[in-house]
Amino acid sequence: MAEPLNLVLFSGTDDKLQAAAVLTAGAAALGKPVNIFLQYWALDAFRADRITKDHGVSPEAGEAGEAAMRHQGKTHWSELLRQAKELGEVHVYACADSMEMFEITKDDLDPMVDGIWGVASFFMEAEGPVTFI
Amino acid sequence: MAEPLNLVLFSGTDDKLQAAAVLTAGAAALGKPVNIFLQYWALDAFRADRITKDHGVSPEAGEAGEAAMRHQGKTHWSELLRQAKELGEVHVYACADSMEMFEITKDDLDPMVDGIWGVASFFMEAEGPVTFI
Amino acid sequence: MAEPLNLVLFSGTDDKLQAAAVLTAGAAALGKPVNIFLQYWALDAFRADRITKDHGVSPEAGEAGEAAMRHQGKTHWSELLRQAKELGEVHVYACADSMEMFEITKDDLDPMVDGIWGVASFFMEAEGPVTFI
């Protein structure tokens, strides 16, 4: 079986989430399982009521960079992830600690989130190396 | 033996350091060796005279995000790392280049730092993939 | 053969690019192949007309941190990467999507960029885990 791509998503800006979605879609297209663990600001961006809203970009983008990014008219990262889930073996888990921090429950999250896990469970399921974004 | 978790800690904000400590504690609890390499702003945050001070958060956190994080009353990341070191096989090294950049010596660092290494030594000891935070 | 270091470079600030160059040089010195994939703001920083210009630093650096970094008088990250390419097996690819976003062509990039790839091609060539910076 292809080696999995294990992503810990920490950042919640649209540029990093877009980059994460592109890596996920590329991996899924190659038949690699993808395990995504949502923490902190990335988890916040997956709330059902705001997932497609503007989450800002990294400060370094600058105005010209952000304009170039928004102008490209790409598929939104959340839609790209949804497509990758249909195409391949992509799992999305919310970090239990971060859920508690935001005082939210699974109902507050986009339906593409499969469940809530502690970090040890994530490490057990997502064996192998971790990419932090 | 379980595959190690090799962390290059670059960022020195409290949210990223907390995330790194949570991953370290989870890995150590599962018996995975953890090798941490402190560079740049993360190394600065490990100075003995400021390790528990406020190191700020990522700009994207916003006021509400930072308030949620500070409010959760979690164990400080430095204490979580200390516990992980007692529990498992966790090693913390300072990057020699970054030490020189800040013009500091090992005495300036928190005692949980085990030693000072160059990047090649880190790669030799911490065989396998690297997670950059 | 030594396990490769696969770097997805997303960030384009001088501190992160310096850290990436140091990891690359260390890996190359140990005989590890290094595959670098340039996306977003990191790709922007590799434009021929601005690669050695000031790309800023992470906001958390602060004035003192940036001064310490600039003061160290280290080899510029672009020169360090160039040396690593001469020393070892280091490949640098630009992300096709990001090229389109900035509306640039290979001629706009520093000559150390070897080619333009999609993310799936990168995953096929750079087998194994990915470090995201």
Side-chain angles (χ1 to χ4, degrees), chain B residues 61-132:
Chain B
E63 278 184 41
E66 178 161 8
M69 197 191 101
R70 304 284 186 200
H71 174 74
Q72 203 182 2
K74 296 195 77 70
T75 308
H76 190 264
W77 56 263
S78 61
E79 181 54 29
L80 201 54
L81 283 176
R82 217 167 272 123
Q83 291 169 6
K85 283 199 75 163
E86 280 169 30
L87 180 72
E89 202 190 322
V90 177
H91 300 288
V92 183
Y93 304 103
C95 168
D97 265 12
S98 295
M99 294 290 292
E100 197 185 289
M101 175 177 127
F102 292 118
E103 299 179 334
I104 55 180
T105 65
K106 193 168 175 323
D107 289 345
D108 296 310
L109 298 174
D110 184 273
M112 90 171 95
V113 179
D114 297 299
I116 299 171
W117 272 6
V119 68
S121 304
F122 178 71
F123 275 126
M124 281 192 292
E125 177 79 9
E127 273 189 76
V130 167
T131 301
F132 186 93

Side-chain angles (χ1 to χ4, degrees), chain B residues 12 40-41 97 101 123 130, chain C residues 15 18 23 60 72 74 131:
Chain B
Y40 289 82
W41 324 122
D97 265 12
M101 175 177 127
F123 275 126
V130 167
Chain C
D15 52 349
Q18 188 75 33
L23 292 179
E60 62 180 285
Q72 204 183 0
K74 295 196 76 71
T131 301

Side-chain angles (χ1 to χ4, degrees), chain A residues 3-117:
Chain A
E3 203 175 311
L5 175 65
N6 301 314
L7 297 179
V8 173
L9 295 195
F10 171 94
S11 300
T13 54
D14 284 325
D15 52 348
K16 288 214 173 157
L17 290 167
Q18 188 76 31
V22 166
L23 292 179
T24 298
L30 293 173
K32 289 163 90 75
V34 183
N35 299 299
I36 297 177
F37 192 58
L38 303 172
Q39 291 187 316
Y40 290 81
W41 325 122
L43 177 63
D44 193 51
F46 273 77
R47 292 197 202 203
D49 64 352
R50 60 189 78 167
I51 189 165
T52 56
K53 298 230 171 108
D54 182 338
H55 301 283
V57 294
S58 306
E60 61 179 284
E63 279 183 39
E66 177 161 9
M69 196 191 100
R70 304 285 186 198
H71 174 74
Q72 204 182 0
K74 296 196 77 69
T75 307
H76 190 264
W77 56 263
S78 60
E79 182 53 29
L80 201 54
L81 283 177
R82 216 167 273 123
Q83 292 171 6
K85 282 199 75 163
E86 281 169 30
L87 180 73
E89 202 189 322
V90 177
H91 299 288
V92 183
Y93 304 104
C95 169
D97 266 10
S98 294
M99 294 292 291
E100 197 185 291
M101 175 176 128
F102 292 118
E103 299 178 336
I104 55 179
T105 65
K106 194 171 175 318
D107 289 346
D108 296 311
L109 298 174
D110 185 273
M112 88 171 95
V113 179
D114 297 299
I116 299 171
W117 272 6

